[in-house]
């Protein structure tokens, strides 16, 4: 099969994936083999390829928003040909203190798809049978793929931020995740305020019904109840914090930040404002979000790249050159 490989030696800013012929892997007893239909491209893939996240596997096939059909390892619950999704959370040990208290997203020994194990930038991929999510009808491959990380973790960010129906919510950055999250917020009758760089991201936010859209340096005109930041930038986190009412919460939806700049406690955090990170996701997040996505009909904007051009997809994410999501198709 064809697969994109990241050799350890080539990893650095600007590193490129190599497309190579490799054997189709065989599933272990707890796994299924998926014939990949599509794999969404996430900013985390870029952090892995450029080694903002430390290398854990050599070589590695990235990709953790996999839509595929069961091709081997089938069971009565997961029959051959069933269409399923795989996300970043590829497995947990089920026995660590975090798993036992129901916080499997914080597991001490997690499996991360496309990071600790090979992912979906390939014609076939393995996945743990208990970490695949059957996909609703009516969500085609290209539109389902970006929901599997950008969507699920975006949805978790709203939970971490404590969003209630009808609140004012700020989205700082407007890439793949925010463009899905805005649909969820609208279904909850929230007013959405978007600060983002790039005229085309601003236009997209306007066209998707944001109540207010400004540049990355502009502050929303009203105090926000909640905010979610998507850019890998600590300056953006502080900007979001400075937009909150007392008691408001900023959820940081980023696995990596450049740094957090020094900021003034008295004016920015005092008043029971909170700054929280969003780490991974649980299977319950995935189940709840995919059901909601079906019910409210989320169809994220997707730009397709053939597998051979996965490097171009990563470059486009890095340059913020895509509206909505990038999806690799083998
Ligand atoms: Zn991701
Ligand atoms: Zn665990």
């Amino acid at each position: 099969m064809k697969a994109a490989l990241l050799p350890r030696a080539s990893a650095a800013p600007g590193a490129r994936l190599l497309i190579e012929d490799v054997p189709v892997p065989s599933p272990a007893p707890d796994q299924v083999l998926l014939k990949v239909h599509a794999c969404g491209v996430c900013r985390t893939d870029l952090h892995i390829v450029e080694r903002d996240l430390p290398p854990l596997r050599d070589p590695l096939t990235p990709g953790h928003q996999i839509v595929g059909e069961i091709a081997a390892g089938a069971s009565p619950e997961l029959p051959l040909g069933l269409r399923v999704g795989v996300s970043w959370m590829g497995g947990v040990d089920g026995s660590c203190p975090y798993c036992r208290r129901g916080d499997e997203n914080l597991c001490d020994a997690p499996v991360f798809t496309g990071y600790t194990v090979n992912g979906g930038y390939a014609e076939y991929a393995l996945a743990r049978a208990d970490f695949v999510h059957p996909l609703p009808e009516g969500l085609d491959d290209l539109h389902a793929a970006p929901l599997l990380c950008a969507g699920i973790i975006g949805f978790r960010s709203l939970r971490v931020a404590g969003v209630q129906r009808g609140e004012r919510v700020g989205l700082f950055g407007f890439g793949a995740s925010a463009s899905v999250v805005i649909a969820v917020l609208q279904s909850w009758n929230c007013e959405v305020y978007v600060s983002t760089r790039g005229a085309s991201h601003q236009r997209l936010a306007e066209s998707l019904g944001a109540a207010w859209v400004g540049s990355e340096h502009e502050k929303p005109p009203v105090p926000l109840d909640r905010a979610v930041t998507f850019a890998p930038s600590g300056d953006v986190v502080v900007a979001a914090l400075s937009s909150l009412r007392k008691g408001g919460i900023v959820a940081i939806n980023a696995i990596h930040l450049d740094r957090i700049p020094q900021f003034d406690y008295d004016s920015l955090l005092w008043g029971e404002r909170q700054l929280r990170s969003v780490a991974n996701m649980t299977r319950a997040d995935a189940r709840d979000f995919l059901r909601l996505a079906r019910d409210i009909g989320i169809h994220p904007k997707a730009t397709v790249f053939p597998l051979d051009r996965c490097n171009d997809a990563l470059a486009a994410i890095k340059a913020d050159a895509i509206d909505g999501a990038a999806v690799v198709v083998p």
Side-chain angles (χ1 to χ4, degrees):
M1 68 168 187
K2 264 200 300 187
L5 298 181
L6 176 66
R8 191 180 293 241
S10 76
R16 296 181 69 77
L17 297 167
L18 309 174
I19 306 296
E20 300 209 345
D21 253 310
V22 300
V24 174
S26 311
D30 64 342
Q31 290 178 318
V32 290
L33 177 71
L34 302 180
K35 182 177 194 306
V36 178
H37 292 184
C39 185
V41 179
C42 176
R43 185 172 286 276
T44 299
D45 300 337
L46 185 64
H47 291 314
I48 290 168
V49 169
E50 296 200 336
R51 299 310 194 206
D52 295 321
L53 300 177
L56 298 178
R57 218 188 140 82
D58 178 29
L60 169 73
T61 297
H64 59 266
Q65 303 190 86
I66 308 171
V67 175
E69 64 175 71
I70 308 278
S75 63
E77 303 76 49
L78 299 171
L80 275 183
L82 181 74
R83 207 170 59 113
V84 297
V86 181
S87 189
W88 171 244
M89 223 47 197
V92 295
D93 59 8
S95 58
C96 78
Y98 297 100
C99 285
R100 287 207 306 269
R101 64 196 294 167
D103 297 331
E104 68 178 12
N105 60 307
L106 302 178
C107 179
D108 280 333
V111 174
F112 294 133
T113 311
Y115 185 42
T116 64
V117 297
N118 285 331
Y121 290 13
E123 291 179 301
Y124 289 87
L126 294 177
R128 239 173 76 169
D130 53 350
F131 276 80
V132 300
H133 311 288
L135 292 172
E137 297 288 325
L139 263 178
D140 65 39
D141 298 336
L142 293 181
H143 295 104
L147 300 181
L148 291 164
C149 178
I152 298 168
I153 298 185
F155 177 69
R156 183 177 179 81
S157 304
L158 300 181
R159 288 185 157 172
V160 169
V163 174
Q164 309 289 315
R165 285 179 181 274
E167 286 190 325
R168 290 172 169 160
V169 181
L171 302 178
F172 289 75
F174 204 77
S177 195
S179 65
V180 171
V181 157
I182 192 171
V184 174
L185 289 170
Q186 285 164 337
S187 78
W188 294 343
N189 294 319
C190 291
E191 257 177 38
V192 184
Y193 296 78
V194 175
S195 286
T196 188
R197 68 175 182 177
S200 109
H201 287 190
Q202 290 164 8
R203 275 195 303 274
L204 180 64
E206 264 162 28
S207 74
L208 293 177
W212 174 89
V213 179
S215 76
E216 57 182 327
H217 303 297
E218 276 177 282
K219 213 168 142 168
V222 294
L224 302 173
D225 298 302
R226 321 281 163 185
V228 182
T229 70
F230 298 93
S233 152
D235 290 331
V236 170
V237 170
V238 173
L241 198 53
S242 73
S243 307
L244 286 186
R245 66 161 168 83
K246 286 180 280 189
I249 299 176
V250 173
I252 304 170
N253 181 343
I255 195 169
H256 164 78
L257 284 189
D258 49 1
R259 83 225 185 288
I260 290 269
Q262 198 169 47
F263 63 85
D264 182 57
Y265 170 80
D266 297 12
S267 60
L268 294 186
L269 204 56
W270 167 251
E272 298 196 346
R273 294 174 178 90
Q274 295 180 54
L275 202 49
R276 301 189 63 183
S277 65
V278 181
N280 313 317
M281 47 167 279
T282 65
R283 280 170 284 183
D285 294 326
R287 185 191 57 227
D288 296 348
F289 171 70
L290 290 171
R291 188 181 299 141
L292 179 66
R294 179 202 58 201
D295 291 349
I296 66 178
I298 298 181
H299 284 87
K301 197 170 164 168
T303 303
V304 175
F305 291 82
L307 179 59
D308 295 337
R309 289 188 52 221
C310 55
N311 289 300
D312 296 340
L314 289 171
I317 297 287
K318 186 170 187 174
D320 274 335
I322 289 186
D323 288 336
V327 178
V328 166
V329 173

